[in-house]
Amino acid sequence: MIERLAHAIARGFEVLIVASLAIMGVLVFGNVVLRYGFNSGIAISEELSRLLFVWLIFLGAVLASAKRIHIGFDTLQRALGPRARGLLAAFNGVLILAGCAIFMVGGWQQVRVNLGNSYPVLGISYAWLYGVGLVFGVALVFPVCNNIWRALRGDPRHLTKDLGDRIEDLSDRIESGAPPPPRDRGA
C-alpha cells in the first residue's frame, strides 16, 4: 500500500516535471521564433518559464532523493564498514531533515510576505515562487525518513550508487545476456 502510494507520488512528480519542461520549451522556443521572425513575442514567456524552472528544480530534487539517484560524495562512506556507513547515512538524513525544517519555516514566511506582491505580466502572486520552498521542505521529509529507516535497518540499497557503477553493472549484464535489473520504484 505505502509502496504504491510512493510510486504514485513519484509518478505525479515526474509528470509535473515533464509538463513544466515541455511548457518551458514551447514558451522559450516560440518566443525566440516570434521575436526574430515576426518582431513580436509572448509576453508571459520569461516570467512563466522562470517560475516553472524553479519548480522543476525543486520537484526534481525531491524525486532524485526518493529514487536515491541524487549526487553524493562517497569517499568517506566507502572507507567505512557497513554499520558505520548506515550510521553516517542516518546522520546525513537528520541534517537534511533540519534543512527541510528551514525550508518549511522560511518558505511559509516568504509566502506570507509575498502574498500581496504580484508578477508584472503574469499577474499572479509571488507566493507561487516562494511556495516551492514550503512544498519542497514538506515533500522531502518523506523520502529522507524512508532513507534513514533503510540505513538504520541495514538495507544495502540505502546509499546512492555511483553512476559509473550503474553503467558498468548494466553493460556487464548486457554483455552476459542477463535480463536488466528490475526498476527501482523509489519506494
Side-chain angles (χ1 to χ4, degrees), residues 34-53:
L34 287 172
R35 290 208 187 242
Y36 288 107
F38 303 100
N39 202 23
S40 178
I42 305 169
I44 64 168
S45 176
E46 185 179 334
E47 288 180 356
L48 185 56
S49 294
R50 188 179 320 127
L51 179 65
L52 289 173
F53 184 68

PDB file of all heavy atoms in Angstrom, residues 34-53:
ATOM      1  N   LEU A  34       9.115  34.060 -32.571  1.00  0.00           N
ATOM      2  CA  LEU A  34       8.278  35.253 -32.745  1.00  0.00           C
ATOM      3  C   LEU A  34       9.106  36.539 -32.736  1.00  0.00           C
ATOM      4  O   LEU A  34       8.837  37.462 -33.507  1.00  0.00           O
ATOM      5  CB  LEU A  34       7.204  35.312 -31.655  1.00  0.00           C
ATOM      6  CG  LEU A  34       6.067  34.304 -31.800  1.00  0.00           C
ATOM      7  CD1 LEU A  34       5.173  34.340 -30.567  1.00  0.00           C
ATOM      8  CD2 LEU A  34       5.255  34.593 -33.047  1.00  0.00           C
ATOM      9  N   ARG A  35      10.114  36.608 -31.879  1.00  0.00           N
ATOM     10  CA  ARG A  35      10.926  37.829 -31.798  1.00  0.00           C
ATOM     11  C   ARG A  35      11.771  38.045 -33.049  1.00  0.00           C
ATOM     12  O   ARG A  35      11.845  39.148 -33.563  1.00  0.00           O
ATOM     13  CB  ARG A  35      11.824  37.807 -30.579  1.00  0.00           C
ATOM     14  CG  ARG A  35      11.037  37.945 -29.311  1.00  0.00           C
ATOM     15  CD  ARG A  35      11.836  38.574 -28.220  1.00  0.00           C
ATOM     16  NE  ARG A  35      11.030  38.484 -27.015  1.00  0.00           N
ATOM     17  CZ  ARG A  35      10.603  39.535 -26.369  1.00  0.00           C
ATOM     18  NH1 ARG A  35      10.927  40.725 -26.762  1.00  0.00           N
ATOM     19  NH2 ARG A  35       9.871  39.381 -25.296  1.00  0.00           N
ATOM     20  N   TYR A  36      12.431  36.976 -33.505  1.00  0.00           N
ATOM     21  CA  TYR A  36      13.322  37.128 -34.660  1.00  0.00           C
ATOM     22  C   TYR A  36      12.584  37.052 -35.988  1.00  0.00           C
ATOM     23  O   TYR A  36      12.986  37.684 -36.956  1.00  0.00           O
ATOM     24  CB  TYR A  36      14.448  36.084 -34.609  1.00  0.00           C
ATOM     25  CG  TYR A  36      15.448  36.401 -33.537  1.00  0.00           C
ATOM     26  CD1 TYR A  36      15.492  35.648 -32.373  1.00  0.00           C
ATOM     27  CD2 TYR A  36      16.334  37.467 -33.667  1.00  0.00           C
ATOM     28  CE1 TYR A  36      16.401  35.944 -31.363  1.00  0.00           C
ATOM     29  CE2 TYR A  36      17.244  37.764 -32.669  1.00  0.00           C
ATOM     30  CZ  TYR A  36      17.270  36.998 -31.528  1.00  0.00           C
ATOM     31  OH  TYR A  36      18.166  37.291 -30.535  1.00  0.00           O
ATOM     32  N   GLY A  37      11.507  36.298 -36.043  1.00  0.00           N
ATOM     33  CA  GLY A  37      10.803  36.136 -37.301  1.00  0.00           C
ATOM     34  C   GLY A  37       9.690  37.142 -37.543  1.00  0.00           C
ATOM     35  O   GLY A  37       9.435  37.545 -38.671  1.00  0.00           O
ATOM     36  N   PHE A  38       9.042  37.559 -36.465  1.00  0.00           N
ATOM     37  CA  PHE A  38       7.847  38.385 -36.628  1.00  0.00           C
ATOM     38  C   PHE A  38       7.881  39.663 -35.798  1.00  0.00           C
ATOM     39  O   PHE A  38       6.869  40.362 -35.722  1.00  0.00           O
ATOM     40  CB  PHE A  38       6.606  37.564 -36.265  1.00  0.00           C
ATOM     41  CG  PHE A  38       6.468  36.318 -37.078  1.00  0.00           C
ATOM     42  CD1 PHE A  38       6.849  35.090 -36.560  1.00  0.00           C
ATOM     43  CD2 PHE A  38       5.969  36.367 -38.370  1.00  0.00           C
ATOM     44  CE1 PHE A  38       6.729  33.929 -37.310  1.00  0.00           C
ATOM     45  CE2 PHE A  38       5.845  35.218 -39.120  1.00  0.00           C
ATOM     46  CZ  PHE A  38       6.226  33.988 -38.591  1.00  0.00           C
ATOM     47  N   ASN A  39       9.009  39.944 -35.169  1.00  0.00           N
ATOM     48  CA  ASN A  39       9.156  41.145 -34.347  1.00  0.00           C
ATOM     49  C   ASN A  39       8.026  41.263 -33.315  1.00  0.00           C
ATOM     50  O   ASN A  39       7.467  42.326 -33.091  1.00  0.00           O
ATOM     51  CB  ASN A  39       9.227  42.400 -35.226  1.00  0.00           C
ATOM     52  CG  ASN A  39       9.898  43.545 -34.500  1.00  0.00           C
ATOM     53  OD1 ASN A  39      10.657  43.323 -33.559  1.00  0.00           O
ATOM     54  ND2 ASN A  39       9.621  44.760 -34.931  1.00  0.00           N
ATOM     55  N   SER A  40       7.706  40.121 -32.728  1.00  0.00           N
ATOM     56  CA  SER A  40       6.641  40.045 -31.743  1.00  0.00           C
ATOM     57  C   SER A  40       7.150  39.208 -30.575  1.00  0.00           C
ATOM     58  O   SER A  40       8.344  38.983 -30.465  1.00  0.00           O
ATOM     59  CB  SER A  40       5.412  39.400 -32.391  1.00  0.00           C
ATOM     60  OG  SER A  40       4.372  39.261 -31.466  1.00  0.00           O
ATOM     61  N   GLY A  41       6.297  38.730 -29.715  1.00  0.00           N
ATOM     62  CA  GLY A  41       6.727  37.878 -28.617  1.00  0.00           C
ATOM     63  C   GLY A  41       5.565  37.462 -27.741  1.00  0.00           C
ATOM     64  O   GLY A  41       4.452  37.968 -27.867  1.00  0.00           O
ATOM     65  N   ILE A  42       5.846  36.535 -26.863  1.00  0.00           N
ATOM     66  CA  ILE A  42       4.862  36.070 -25.888  1.00  0.00           C
ATOM     67  C   ILE A  42       5.167  36.805 -24.589  1.00  0.00           C
ATOM     68  O   ILE A  42       6.242  36.629 -24.009  1.00  0.00           O
ATOM     69  CB  ILE A  42       4.968  34.539 -25.688  1.00  0.00           C
ATOM     70  CG1 ILE A  42       4.844  33.800 -27.023  1.00  0.00           C
ATOM     71  CG2 ILE A  42       3.913  34.056 -24.704  1.00  0.00           C
ATOM     72  CD1 ILE A  42       5.195  32.321 -26.939  1.00  0.00           C
ATOM     73  N   ALA A  43       4.251  37.613 -24.153  1.00  0.00           N
ATOM     74  CA  ALA A  43       4.502  38.491 -23.001  1.00  0.00           C
ATOM     75  C   ALA A  43       4.834  37.715 -21.727  1.00  0.00           C
ATOM     76  O   ALA A  43       5.721  38.098 -20.968  1.00  0.00           O
ATOM     77  CB  ALA A  43       3.307  39.403 -22.766  1.00  0.00           C
ATOM     78  N   ILE A  44       4.153  36.611 -21.496  1.00  0.00           N
ATOM     79  CA  ILE A  44       4.345  35.882 -20.233  1.00  0.00           C
ATOM     80  C   ILE A  44       5.504  34.895 -20.280  1.00  0.00           C
ATOM     81  O   ILE A  44       5.806  34.257 -19.281  1.00  0.00           O
ATOM     82  CB  ILE A  44       3.065  35.132 -19.827  1.00  0.00           C
ATOM     83  CG1 ILE A  44       2.715  34.048 -20.843  1.00  0.00           C
ATOM     84  CG2 ILE A  44       1.913  36.093 -19.624  1.00  0.00           C
ATOM     85  CD1 ILE A  44       1.650  33.092 -20.370  1.00  0.00           C
ATOM     86  N   SER A  45       6.153  34.767 -21.417  1.00  0.00           N
ATOM     87  CA  SER A  45       7.154  33.720 -21.611  1.00  0.00           C
ATOM     88  C   SER A  45       8.264  33.753 -20.572  1.00  0.00           C
ATOM     89  O   SER A  45       8.586  32.729 -19.968  1.00  0.00           O
ATOM     90  CB  SER A  45       7.758  33.839 -23.012  1.00  0.00           C
ATOM     91  OG  SER A  45       8.788  32.912 -23.187  1.00  0.00           O
ATOM     92  N   GLU A  46       8.868  34.892 -20.356  1.00  0.00           N
ATOM     93  CA  GLU A  46      10.017  34.960 -19.443  1.00  0.00           C
ATOM     94  C   GLU A  46       9.622  34.670 -17.999  1.00  0.00           C
ATOM     95  O   GLU A  46      10.262  33.867 -17.316  1.00  0.00           O
ATOM     96  CB  GLU A  46      10.668  36.339 -19.531  1.00  0.00           C
ATOM     97  CG  GLU A  46      11.923  36.442 -18.707  1.00  0.00           C
ATOM     98  CD  GLU A  46      12.573  37.812 -18.809  1.00  0.00           C
ATOM     99  OE1 GLU A  46      12.391  38.504 -19.808  1.00  0.00           O
ATOM    100  OE2 GLU A  46      13.261  38.166 -17.837  1.00  0.00           O
ATOM    101  N   GLU A  47       8.548  35.297 -17.529  1.00  0.00           N
ATOM    102  CA  GLU A  47       8.144  35.109 -16.132  1.00  0.00           C
ATOM    103  C   GLU A  47       7.664  33.683 -15.867  1.00  0.00           C
ATOM    104  O   GLU A  47       8.039  33.073 -14.865  1.00  0.00           O
ATOM    105  CB  GLU A  47       7.051  36.104 -15.762  1.00  0.00           C
ATOM    106  CG  GLU A  47       7.560  37.525 -15.641  1.00  0.00           C
ATOM    107  CD  GLU A  47       6.458  38.507 -15.282  1.00  0.00           C
ATOM    108  OE1 GLU A  47       5.269  38.109 -15.199  1.00  0.00           O
ATOM    109  OE2 GLU A  47       6.788  39.686 -15.089  1.00  0.00           O
ATOM    110  N   LEU A  48       6.839  33.148 -16.758  1.00  0.00           N
ATOM    111  CA  LEU A  48       6.318  31.806 -16.548  1.00  0.00           C
ATOM    112  C   LEU A  48       7.423  30.758 -16.670  1.00  0.00           C
ATOM    113  O   LEU A  48       7.473  29.818 -15.876  1.00  0.00           O
ATOM    114  CB  LEU A  48       5.183  31.505 -17.536  1.00  0.00           C
ATOM    115  CG  LEU A  48       4.458  30.168 -17.351  1.00  0.00           C
ATOM    116  CD1 LEU A  48       3.901  30.038 -15.935  1.00  0.00           C
ATOM    117  CD2 LEU A  48       3.358  30.022 -18.381  1.00  0.00           C
ATOM    118  N   SER A  49       8.334  30.931 -17.612  1.00  0.00           N
ATOM    119  CA  SER A  49       9.451  29.994 -17.756  1.00  0.00           C
ATOM    120  C   SER A  49      10.329  29.990 -16.516  1.00  0.00           C
ATOM    121  O   SER A  49      10.767  28.936 -16.053  1.00  0.00           O
ATOM    122  CB  SER A  49      10.297  30.341 -18.977  1.00  0.00           C
ATOM    123  OG  SER A  49       9.566  30.141 -20.150  1.00  0.00           O
ATOM    124  N   ARG A  50      10.597  31.175 -15.966  1.00  0.00           N
ATOM    125  CA  ARG A  50      11.415  31.263 -14.757  1.00  0.00           C
ATOM    126  C   ARG A  50      10.716  30.580 -13.582  1.00  0.00           C
ATOM    127  O   ARG A  50      11.335  29.829 -12.834  1.00  0.00           O
ATOM    128  CB  ARG A  50      11.700  32.726 -14.422  1.00  0.00           C
ATOM    129  CG  ARG A  50      12.699  32.896 -13.302  1.00  0.00           C
ATOM    130  CD  ARG A  50      13.019  34.357 -12.982  1.00  0.00           C
ATOM    131  NE  ARG A  50      13.134  35.180 -14.155  1.00  0.00           N
ATOM    132  CZ  ARG A  50      12.457  36.321 -14.339  1.00  0.00           C
ATOM    133  NH1 ARG A  50      11.644  36.758 -13.420  1.00  0.00           N
ATOM    134  NH2 ARG A  50      12.608  37.026 -15.436  1.00  0.00           N
ATOM    135  N   LEU A  51       9.425  30.813 -13.431  1.00  0.00           N
ATOM    136  CA  LEU A  51       8.662  30.195 -12.350  1.00  0.00           C
ATOM    137  C   LEU A  51       8.640  28.673 -12.499  1.00  0.00           C
ATOM    138  O   LEU A  51       8.881  27.938 -11.533  1.00  0.00           O
ATOM    139  CB  LEU A  51       7.238  30.745 -12.341  1.00  0.00           C
ATOM    140  CG  LEU A  51       6.294  30.195 -11.278  1.00  0.00           C
ATOM    141  CD1 LEU A  51       6.774  30.590  -9.886  1.00  0.00           C
ATOM    142  CD2 LEU A  51       4.887  30.700 -11.522  1.00  0.00           C
ATOM    143  N   LEU A  52       8.395  28.191 -13.708  1.00  0.00           N
ATOM    144  CA  LEU A  52       8.373  26.744 -13.946  1.00  0.00           C
ATOM    145  C   LEU A  52       9.741  26.119 -13.726  1.00  0.00           C
ATOM    146  O   LEU A  52       9.846  24.998 -13.224  1.00  0.00           O
ATOM    147  CB  LEU A  52       7.877  26.443 -15.363  1.00  0.00           C
ATOM    148  CG  LEU A  52       6.401  26.696 -15.617  1.00  0.00           C
ATOM    149  CD1 LEU A  52       6.085  26.518 -17.097  1.00  0.00           C
ATOM    150  CD2 LEU A  52       5.530  25.799 -14.759  1.00  0.00           C
ATOM    151  N   PHE A  53      10.805  26.839 -14.085  1.00  0.00           N
ATOM    152  CA  PHE A  53      12.150  26.310 -13.896  1.00  0.00           C
ATOM    153  C   PHE A  53      12.456  26.115 -12.415  1.00  0.00           C
ATOM    154  O   PHE A  53      13.013  25.090 -12.014  1.00  0.00           O
ATOM    155  CB  PHE A  53      13.180  27.249 -14.538  1.00  0.00           C
ATOM    156  CG  PHE A  53      14.578  26.732 -14.471  1.00  0.00           C
ATOM    157  CD1 PHE A  53      14.966  25.619 -15.189  1.00  0.00           C
ATOM    158  CD2 PHE A  53      15.527  27.354 -13.673  1.00  0.00           C
ATOM    159  CE1 PHE A  53      16.257  25.126 -15.132  1.00  0.00           C
ATOM    160  CE2 PHE A  53      16.820  26.881 -13.604  1.00  0.00           C
ATOM    161  CZ  PHE A  53      17.188  25.765 -14.332  1.00  0.00           C
TER     162      PHE A  53
END
